Amino acid sequence: MQVWDDVGPGYVRYSAAEAGLAEMGHVAENDAVQSALASRLGDAAERIWPATISSIEFPPCGPHDLGEAAAAKGPAHLAEIRLEGGRTLRCRLVVGADGARSRTRSLGGLRAVGWQYDQRGVVACVRTETPNEVAWQSFLSTGPLALLPVRDGFSNVVWSTTPEIASALEAMGPEEFAAAVNRALSAGGPRGSGGVVGGFASAASRFLFRGQPPFEEFPRVLEYTGAPPKSFPLQMLHSGRYVRPRLALVGDAAHAVHPLAGQGVNLGFGDAKELAAAIAHATKVGCDIGDAGFLAAHYEGPRRTANLAMMGALDSLKAVFGVQMPSFAGLRNLGLQVVNATPPLKREIMAYAMG
Ligand SMILES: Cc1cc2nc3c(=O)[nH]c(=O)nc-3n(C[C@H](O)[C@H](O)[C@H](O)COP(=O)(O)OP(=O)(O)OC[C@H]3O[C@@H](n4cnc5c(N)ncnc54)[C@H](O)[C@@H]3O)c2cc1C
């Protein structure tokens, strides 16, 4: 993986080998993940798909009433889900995995707080001139642009930018879009594109930080393929509580983050893993799996700590790369070069990002 600053010579190259690993991670398409999960589920459960929830009735209690109210009514007091089309389901636990605008969250009376970033994320699948096996990301003054390897000469573009630039990118044809990506990724880093001063800074940094992994060039993008580029609003969002009697939120329903480090899905997987362990534990010790007190202790507590730490780190990263003041940008570039020249620090960062 290579990240760099659009307005200076700073860059960092992370490699799996430095961390003693065969690979740092995988870029998996949503459809591939969903079909793998569905085939793993097999016949073990009834799948009702597609389906849309029209309403859910939870046991009557406030969002802060953890455990006692539900326990007093006994496990027979179930959540009742009504689907569009009329079917009704009753269960001990509803897992709300319905994204940042979660209806299960609002029907459960759980409140989320956050803010919009005044940026949109433009996503597209592109074809590159040569096969791509590296994640490339440039921090532009308008937001980060990532070119992420998928497979067979295809990559994904995730471009966080202003609403105006996002609209312009969405309107471009396949080759025009590719040219815009190539142009944007061609600036910054140690290429000395910043005139005499920039050239001097690049030469000085090459001298001071010699021995660091060299900066490499990204594979040229030829065109977008499939659906035209599409943009989504970017936001930071966190639900005050992840659980209430008979409900647990996971993934973006509980927290949404800026995509600048590609951590959204990892956080959701972390939630799912912890919740599955909590349910298994409840079953083993004979506890009601929809008991909010149990879920708060065994699921919400540990996940809230992990999620808030990552959310804080991502929001800080976004703020640091959002400052364009030359003196601050100089310090930021120096910081990137220090990281690049310090393998133990890079290993720490990689280990945290890989979970
Ligand atoms: C532009 C952009 C780029 C991103 N890039 C990355 C990246 O590179 N890597 C990464 O890890 N993360 C990325 N993310 C974040 C990632 O997309 C989310 O973290 C992830 O999709 C959250 O998964 P989820 O299953 O919790 O929610 P979602 O993916 O939002 O899925 C929710 C599902 O619930 C369904 N649903 C909603 N309401 C109802 C209802 N009432 N009834 C029935 N079904 C319903 C929806 O149809 C949807 O299928 C990006 C986000 C954006 C906006």
Side-chain angles (χ1 to χ4, degrees):
M1 178 179 195
Q2 178 173 293
V3 298
W4 67 97
D5 193 324
D6 178 51
V7 294
Y11 71 96
V12 184
R13 265 192 86 83
Y14 297 99
S15 82
E18 263 184 297
L21 298 167
E23 62 241 335
M24 281 175 63
H26 301 271
V27 179
E29 295 143 299
N30 198 34
D31 286 354
V33 174
Q34 286 189 350
S35 70
L37 289 173
S39 70
R40 182 71 194 265
L41 198 59
D43 297 329
E46 183 194 359
R47 265 188 296 151
I48 307 168
W49 170 271
T52 303
I53 293 168
S54 64
S55 69
I56 309 180
E57 211 164 290
F58 288 104
C61 71
H64 303 295
D65 192 0
L66 296 176
E68 295 81 2
K73 294 185 171 74
H77 199 76
L78 302 176
E80 190 175 276
I81 304 172
R82 270 183 289 280
L83 301 179
E84 277 179 13
R87 188 164 172 188
T88 299
L89 308 162
R90 286 184 191 80
C91 59
R92 287 170 189 266
L93 179 63
V94 176
V95 178
D98 49 351
R101 294 193 301 172
S102 171
R103 198 156 147 69
T104 51
R105 186 180 65 224
S106 53
L107 290 170
L110 301 181
R111 281 201 324 130
V113 291
W115 55 86
Q116 298 289 329
Y117 278 121
D118 197 27
Q119 276 188 336
R120 292 184 72 85
V122 181
V123 291
C125 178
V126 296
R127 202 163 60 81
T128 52
E129 200 171 46
T130 51
N132 180 22
E133 294 192 338
V134 174
W136 312 86
Q137 178 154 296
S138 174
F139 283 91
L140 311 177
S141 57
T142 43
L145 163 57
L147 179 67
L148 308 169
V150 182
R151 63 189 148 78
D152 306 333
F154 292 98
S155 294
N156 278 344
V157 167
V158 181
W159 191 338
S160 306
T161 189
T162 63
E164 295 75 28
I165 296 177
S167 302
L169 291 168
E170 282 179 299
M172 288 178 183
E175 283 151 25
E176 196 187 355
F177 180 78
V181 172
N182 290 333
R183 211 169 29 249
L185 287 177
S186 296
R191 298 165 173 126
S193 53
V196 176
V197 177
F200 178 75
S202 297
S205 76
R206 271 199 297 276
F207 175 74
L208 285 173
F209 295 100
R210 58 191 178 278
Q212 64 182 334
F215 186 88
E216 288 184 18
E217 285 301 335
F218 65 97
R220 298 284 128 174
V221 176
L222 299 175
E223 60 181 356
Y224 74 68
T225 61
K230 190 164 166 47
S231 79
F232 301 87
L234 301 181
Q235 62 179 331
M236 162 78 93
L237 184 107
H238 190 250
S239 182
R241 302 227 60 130
Y242 298 0
V243 301
R244 59 151 289 157
R246 305 260 173 257
L247 172 65
L249 301 177
V250 295
D252 276 25
H255 43 73
V257 295
H258 195 287
L260 88 173
Q263 288 294 330
V265 174
N266 280 351
L267 293 182
F269 284 164
D271 293 348
K273 192 174 165 198
E274 195 91 41
L275 181 60
I279 291 171
H281 185 45
T283 309
K284 197 168 160 197
V285 298
C287 184
D288 180 351
I289 62 166
D291 181 301
F294 187 90
L295 291 171
H298 292 87
Y299 165 62
E300 180 189 66
R303 283 315 294 165
R304 192 160 45 174
T305 305
N307 291 334
L308 283 173
M310 180 59 84
M311 292 174 86
L314 297 180
D315 198 50
S316 306
L317 204 57
K318 181 178 178 307
V320 164
F321 279 96
V323 179
Q324 298 309 314
M325 207 168 37
S327 52
F328 189 87
L331 275 177
R332 183 174 67 218
N333 275 273
L334 184 64
L336 284 173
Q337 286 161 308
V338 169
V339 172
N340 200 32
T342 317
L345 191 53
K346 277 203 278 187
R347 279 197 289 276
E348 285 294 316
I349 295 171
M350 277 192 276
Y352 183 53
M354 288 188 291

